[in-house]
Amino acid sequence: MNGETKLFGKSLKFSRRTFIKTAGSIGAGMSFGVPMFRSSLAVTAPLIEAETETYRSTCNMECLHCNLTAHVTGGKLVKVEASQDFHVKGCLRGLSRIQWVNHPDRLKYPMKRVGEKGEGKFQRISWDEALDTIATKLRQTKAELGNKGIFLMTASGNMSALTNSTASAFFDYFGGAVRTSGSLCCSAVTAAMVPMLGIRYVDTRDTIADSKYLLCWGNNPAVTMQAYFKEFAKALKQGARMVVIDPRFSETAAKADEWVPINPGTDTALALGMLNVIIQEKLYDEKYLLEHTSAPFLVDASGDLALYEGKKEAFLVYDGITGQVVPHDHPGVKPMLTLAGSNVTDYKTVFDLIASECAQWPTAKVEKETDVPAQTVLRLAREYAVAKPAMIVQNMSGAQRTEYGAYVAMSQFYLALFTGSYGIKGGGVLDAGGVTQFFSVKPPVKPKAPTPGLPTIPISKVGEWIANDKPNPIGFAWFMTSSPVTQNPNTNAVKAALKRVPFVVVADNLMTSTALYADMLLPVCTVFEETNLMAGIRSHYVQLMEKAVEPPGEAKSDIWIMTELAKRLGFGETFDKPIEKYIEAVLDGTGITLDQIKKAPVKPVATPYIPFAGGKFRTPSGKAMLFVQDWKTKKNLSPIATYYRPVESPLGSPELFKKYPLMAVQRKQHRSIHSSFSTLPYLNEATTNRPHLMLHPDDAANRGIHSGDVVIAFNERGQHKAVADVTSKIKKGVVSLENGWWEQQGGSSSHVTNDKPEPLGHGQSCNSTLIEVKKEG
Ligand SMILES: Nc1nc2c(c(=O)[nH]1)N[C@H]1C(S)=C(S)[C@@H](COP(=O)(O)OP(=O)(O)OC[C@H]3O[C@@H](n4cnc5c(=O)[nH]c(N)nc54)[C@H](O)[C@@H]3O)O[C@H]1N2
Ligand SMILES: Nc1nc2c(c(=O)[nH]1)N[C@H]1C(S)=C(S)[C@@H](COP(=O)(O)OP(=O)(O)OC[C@H]3O[C@@H](n4cnc5c(=O)[nH]c(N)nc54)[C@H](O)[C@@H]3O)O[C@H]1N2
Ligand code: SF4
Ligand SMILES: [Mo]
């Protein structure tokens, strides 16, 4: 336990403690487990007067990383509240963390499997036995299969700057592991945004309230950006118009001026149709396109971006003054936006290429594909282009978790760029975003290159590939900060994979659905039980995560676990250092110090932050790239936004559609962040503790289904049981399934989801899923 002392012995030293005489807060803590959520929160009468210490941390899974304050009495966490001085206020999930930390079912000791995988039968063992066994298995696997026989999956359970990166470093020092490519979340956005704008996780959240037109596109910020929804509310109060494009009448639609129902997976067709109107009616910003985008760049007869003497970044344009083809940065050049109508035949401009793609999408054809009325397409296009400023709310949308999601994101960026909406308050595209857009943070541990040539597995195919020894057998797998049994698509394939791998380690803090499949289960800390740092992609603030209480039993931090294993494997000195050193390593060069964040969270730039101000993008040319050459060269896909119909859709697979005639789309819930929080009593009492499914009355009537019936959603991949909610708040032919339910709570909707990787970002396409629904029994 030396590592622990060294790592955490000093942590309390820099914990800023305030002592308040309080008793009201104790009520909530002591009432933990009391079934009535309302009454338990309402217990505020002083019981005993005790000394309370406060500590600050952040809500660290894949949400907004609100700052939270922990109240500790006698070494016990008695209350969690939204930090008073923070710019957004945490929600009920954040406050419910008290029930996560104090959960009676917390994993407290390392355990080894004694029953069948999935049965959840484990036996307590010592840390020494657990770590010795793991070290032995790692060595054995490496000897037998090489590092390509070792698999590591980390995800969004703890997005601190230290946790996942320390684990990655540990495996790299051991020679490397097979990792996943893409993310379950939003790699379609990444695939489009990085080549187009030069950077991912750049957001416009500081100026939402300044917007006159909020286009929530496949996005439900009333639930999924809850802490920032006050900004949307402000905009609405100031007269902004809000439009929601969603197959479902979402919680955001309920607050909006207009709901535009759409066929799932067809959003690119709608965006191209809107852009067609904008181009035809000359509603685009020509000056902006010429100065700040690749619109005037030339494309040659073979459809490639033309380059001066073939040199990288030496893009060519057609000079309107001299009539010559010259490099785009040639002094005094006046590039032509379009060559249409000219006698130049060797080249087209990127603008021309996009215009002819859009011309394929007259409003009537858009209506046929998307089911959005032609008149609505026309009006949306005009409204969006004319309203200034207008913001597209993309934020890792459901619309991009589809088979060709990168084109959805790309076409949304087109709309913003064509209308010159970036760089102004209230404009642009609202992505997720954090401090990494202001500066780059360093890794906590000095990087070491893994063995070259290790394969990756597309994250959607973790189940199928590993179950089938693809690309090679995996002998050892480590899962942390992730719950693939509920979150990866195609649950049955994931379970088969977990059964296939001879030795599976799961590090978590509760007996999750994934933990049931572990060979070795390691109990880890939650927020408030370890010192850590948040400097990531979801909050504009750098936040110190203070340790407030001791973890239960023998639970440890992931960093402690990696350190102890590193010691056993001969590279302990790289990891074995006080946690402050890890934090300082990450902050090195950012200008922000540990001392500063001990006082309060720090935002590195002034508010409001307006990304891409002055039309300066982070691409090598400084321009927004509307044409992505690599997509053509490396993937044989269109380099400009193009609508590809999802294969798993009514028109994409007519035969499959006969068997499974409903499109299933996913939705996030108030009661959880994915599978995190899902079992906490406060949330189950305040919302629901059973999976539900939304079904249109016509679809329900055909099947004899009524609201409240227990129904089964199914397809070839599996089935998901839920309570039917028969409602016209969903498009006919579409079913809305909930994200985040555990197997122990009735089962995850991922049993049915499409596990086809999105081709450009390798993300998942869970919203391109065909199912049938029937009554149980
Ligand atoms: N409360 C809560 N908040 C969260 C999360 C959570 O689990 N719970 N998760 C966080 C994370 S990691 C993410 S990625 C974000 C996601 O944030 P969102 O994208 O807003 O979340 P979703 O509920 O997945 O999808 C939003 C909407 O997309 C619709 N949709 C599905 N398919 C399509 C389609 O093809 N086209 C269109 N136009 N709409 C479609 C769904 O009906 C749904 O209402 O939320 C974050 N915030
Ligand atoms: N069916 C369906 N599937 C989906 C989605 C959907 O809408 N529908 N949405 C997708 C999206 S957008 C996302 S981002 C993913 C998210 O999927 P995941 O990243 O897997 O997120 P969670 O379900 O929150 O699981 C995180 C796990 O990490 C654990 N954990 C928390 N803190 C720590 C820690 O400090 N250390 C360790 N070792 N573990 C910790 C939690 O207890 C939890 O079990 O899900 C995707 N999957
Ligand atoms: S769940 Fe999200 S909105 Fe709620 S407190 Fe945590 S980070 Fe904030
Ligand atoms: Mo996500």
Side-chain angles (χ1 to χ4, degrees):
M1 306 294 140
N2 278 343
E4 182 192 35
T5 325
K6 261 195 134 172
L7 282 174
F8 295 113
K10 292 179 187 159
S11 63
L12 281 179
K13 265 197 175 167
F14 62 77
S15 288
R16 179 196 38 78
R17 287 196 252 180
T18 47
F19 294 90
I20 23 176
K21 294 272 186 193
T22 176
S25 62
I26 294 169
M30 289 187 54
S31 61
F32 167 68
V34 176
M36 281 306 293
F37 145 72
R38 280 173 211 287
S39 59
S40 60
L41 277 187
V43 177
T44 52
L47 300 173
I48 45 164
E49 205 171 78
E51 213 169 55
T52 299
E53 300 169 5
T54 63
Y55 300 85
R56 296 178 75 147
S57 191
T58 184
C59 198
N60 68 341
M61 67 305 90
E62 174 79 269
C63 197
L64 299 165
H65 301 162
C66 301
N67 199 260
L68 299 175
T69 298
H71 293 242
V72 176
T73 306
K76 191 153 174 62
L77 182 65
V78 294
K79 184 168 88 168
V80 176
E81 65 177 0
S83 297
Q84 293 303 323
D85 60 356
F86 202 56
H87 69 304
V88 290
K89 293 284 170 280
C91 71
L92 179 58
R93 293 178 298 270
L95 308 192
S96 302
R97 278 187 174 275
I98 184 168
Q99 296 189 323
W100 192 343
V101 172
N102 293 332
H103 205 294
D105 299 338
R106 282 285 301 277
L107 299 178
K108 297 189 182 70
Y109 308 100
M111 294 193 283
K112 68 177 179 192
R113 177 172 65 86
V114 289
E116 291 301 308
K117 278 203 195 181
E119 249 187 350
K121 286 195 183 143
F122 293 94
Q123 189 184 68
R124 177 178 169 181
I125 55 172
S126 69
W127 268 109
D128 275 338
E129 183 184 342
L131 295 164
D132 289 347
T133 310
I134 292 171
T136 305
K137 294 282 179 188
L138 274 170
R139 281 205 193 92
Q140 270 173 4
T141 310
K142 186 169 170 167
E144 285 162 22
L145 301 169
N147 285 87
K148 67 180 191 316
I150 299 169
F151 176 75
L152 167 65
M153 178 163 160
T154 62
S156 70
N158 182 351
M159 297 177 73
S160 81
L162 308 186
T163 306
N164 285 345
S165 31
T166 305
S168 300
F170 166 80
F171 281 90
D172 286 347
Y173 275 82
F174 189 63
V178 173
R179 305 297 309 267
T180 50
S181 62
S183 86
L184 296 170
C185 181
C186 49
S187 33
V189 177
T190 309
M193 193 165 174
V194 171
M196 290 182 74
L197 309 185
I199 184 175
R200 178 67 213 285
Y201 300 111
V202 174
D203 75 283
T204 55
R205 83 172 52 139
D206 278 358
T207 69
I208 295 167
D210 297 300
S211 193
K212 290 271 170 288
Y213 193 84
L214 291 161
L215 188 51
C216 299
W217 200 321
N219 198 261
N220 185 19
V223 170
T224 58
M225 287 193 84
Q226 194 176 339
Y228 285 92
F229 201 68
K230 60 177 182 152
E231 301 300 320
F232 290 78
K234 241 188 254 169
L236 291 176
K237 213 168 164 194
Q238 290 165 18
R241 180 170 172 77
M242 184 156 84
V243 176
V244 174
I245 303 173
D246 195 312
R248 179 179 74 99
F249 183 78
S250 66
E251 293 79 350
T252 307
K255 305 268 181 201
D257 297 280
E258 184 176 2
W259 171 42
V260 180
I262 186 169
N263 285 337
T266 65
D267 300 84
T268 303
L270 173 61
L272 294 180
M274 287 169 64
L275 193 54
N276 188 43
V277 174
I278 290 170
I279 293 172
Q280 299 298 326
E281 300 189 356
K282 297 218 175 337
L283 296 174
Y284 55 84
D285 184 336
E286 179 163 356
K287 189 166 177 284
Y288 191 89
L289 282 172
L290 283 169
E291 286 175 9
H292 305 301
T293 78
S294 69
F297 292 1
L298 298 181
V299 177
D300 64 21
S302 54
D304 295 313
L305 270 183
L307 296 172
Y308 179 66
E309 293 179 344
K311 284 188 194 139
K312 234 179 152 190
E313 299 296 317
F315 305 107
L316 294 175
V317 294
Y318 190 87
D319 188 358
I321 298 172
T322 61
Q324 305 255 306
V325 172
V326 293
H328 73 100
D329 47 3
H330 198 74
V333 68
K334 286 258 180 284
M336 302 277 288
L337 187 62
T338 173
L339 298 174
S342 79
N343 54 6
V344 181
T345 50
D346 303 355
Y347 299 107
K348 278 182 176 160
T349 64
V350 167
F351 177 89
D352 289 336
L353 211 65
I354 293 170
S356 40
E357 189 57 42
C358 292
Q360 318 261 337
W361 290 99
T363 51
K365 189 170 156 202
V366 175
E367 174 170 340
K368 239 174 131 195
E369 189 68 26
T370 63
D371 206 26
V372 177
Q375 279 309 313
T376 307
V377 180
L378 191 68
R379 182 172 48 78
L380 282 181
R382 289 175 180 160
E383 276 179 16
Y384 173 75
V386 171
K388 300 250 185 254
M391 191 182 287
I392 293 178
V393 181
Q394 180 187 66
N395 185 36
M396 318 182 288
S397 75
Q400 56 87 49
R401 278 183 285 283
T402 48
E403 276 188 27
Y404 293 93
Y407 289 108
V408 176
M410 183 186 228
S411 60
Q412 293 171 342
F413 291 128
Y414 276 10
L415 285 167
L417 292 164
F418 270 66
T419 53
S421 138
Y422 262 118
I424 48 174
K425 280 186 182 176
V429 176
L430 179 61
D431 182 21
V435 294
T436 53
Q437 65 193 308
F438 309 137
F439 50 55
S440 52
V441 294
K442 295 211 171 80
V445 177
K446 198 168 151 238
K448 184 167 197 285
T451 313
L454 287 172
T456 55
I457 298 178
I459 193 139
S460 295
K461 288 294 184 190
V462 163
E464 189 192 303
W465 281 32
I466 294 181
N468 292 292
D469 293 344
K470 188 178 165 186
N472 52 258
I474 299 292
F476 178 106
W478 187 293
F479 295 91
M480 60 183 282
T481 60
S482 60
S483 193
V485 167
T486 59
Q487 298 316 116
N488 284 47
N490 196 351
T491 308
N492 285 326
V494 173
K495 288 181 178 176
L498 290 165
K499 286 182 180 162
R500 176 78 187 163
V501 179
F503 194 76
V504 172
V505 180
V506 175
D508 212 310
N509 43 52
L510 289 168
M511 185 66 80
T512 64
S513 304
T514 304
L516 296 174
Y517 288 80
D519 293 277
M520 183 74 78
L521 200 43
L522 304 180
V524 297
C525 302
T526 61
V527 167
F528 299 128
E529 292 170 350
E530 61 166 325
T531 305
N532 212 319
L533 173 73
M534 184 59 73
I537 53 173
R538 299 304 304 272
S539 168
H540 286 189
Y541 287 78
V542 178
Q543 302 174 64
L544 181 63
M545 300 170 68
E546 291 183 313
K547 177 172 176 173
V549 291
E550 288 302 322
E554 296 176 1
K556 302 289 181 204
S557 77
D558 298 273
I559 299 167
W560 180 88
I561 296 169
M562 294 303 160
T563 306
E564 289 302 305
L565 276 174
K567 284 183 196 166
R568 282 166 173 78
L569 294 166
F571 46 91
E573 70 290 348
T574 308
F575 291 82
D576 194 8
K577 54 190 174 183
I579 206 78
E580 296 95 318
K581 295 285 172 216
Y582 280 85
I583 294 176
E584 282 165 0
V586 173
L587 294 180
D588 180 37
T590 63
I592 291 180
T593 62
L594 182 53
D595 279 340
Q596 267 179 301
I597 57 172
K598 277 184 203 169
K599 294 186 194 107
V602 174
K603 181 175 182 184
V605 300
T607 304
Y609 173 67
I610 302 171
F612 309 123
K616 287 195 185 66
F617 293 90
R618 310 267 191 105
T619 53
S621 66
K623 309 225 172 193
M625 300 300 282
L626 305 172
F627 182 109
V628 182
Q629 180 68 52
D630 273 357
W631 292 1
K632 177 169 184 284
T633 317
K634 296 187 180 157
K635 304 266 185 175
N636 202 22
L637 285 163
S638 172
I640 57 164
T642 302
Y643 174 64
Y644 293 86
R645 184 181 279 154
V647 175
E648 191 161 328
S649 66
L651 295 173
S653 295
E655 284 308 309
L656 195 66
F657 176 61
K658 276 187 208 147
K659 240 168 128 184
Y660 304 113
L662 297 165
M663 274 302 268
V665 292
Q666 298 286 318
R667 74 173 188 275
K668 314 284 189 254
Q669 306 182 74
H670 271 306
R671 58 180 294 288
S672 73
I673 299 296
H674 311 292
S675 71
S676 298
F677 298 104
S678 190
T679 57
L680 302 186
Y682 281 171
L683 292 157
N684 282 321
E685 287 154 15
T687 59
T688 173
N689 59 7
R690 301 178 76 184
H692 286 66
L693 151 171
M694 291 166 74
L695 186 70
H696 189 272
D698 292 352
D699 295 322
N702 290 342
R703 294 164 177 81
I705 293 170
H706 300 97
S707 269
D709 286 350
V710 175
V711 295
I712 312 271
F714 65 100
N715 59 20
E716 233 97 290
R717 288 180 286 265
Q719 60 177 51
H720 168 67
K721 200 196 276 194
V723 177
D725 175 9
V726 177
T727 170
S728 52
K729 290 178 178 169
I730 186 143
K731 245 181 101 58
K732 196 176 158 183
V734 184
V735 173
S736 168
L737 305 180
E738 295 170 343
N739 169 42
W741 292 100
W742 293 23
E743 293 299 272
Q744 299 93 318
Q745 294 176 298
S748 158
S749 57
S750 300
H751 277 272
V752 295
T753 49
N754 190 349
D755 58 356
K756 184 173 174 189
E758 195 280 334
L760 294 166
H762 276 195
Q764 68 161 331
S765 28
C766 60
N767 290 331
S768 301
T769 293
L770 283 170
I771 57 161
E772 175 56 299
V773 176
K774 64 178 180 197
K775 255 171 113 155
E776 191 189 28

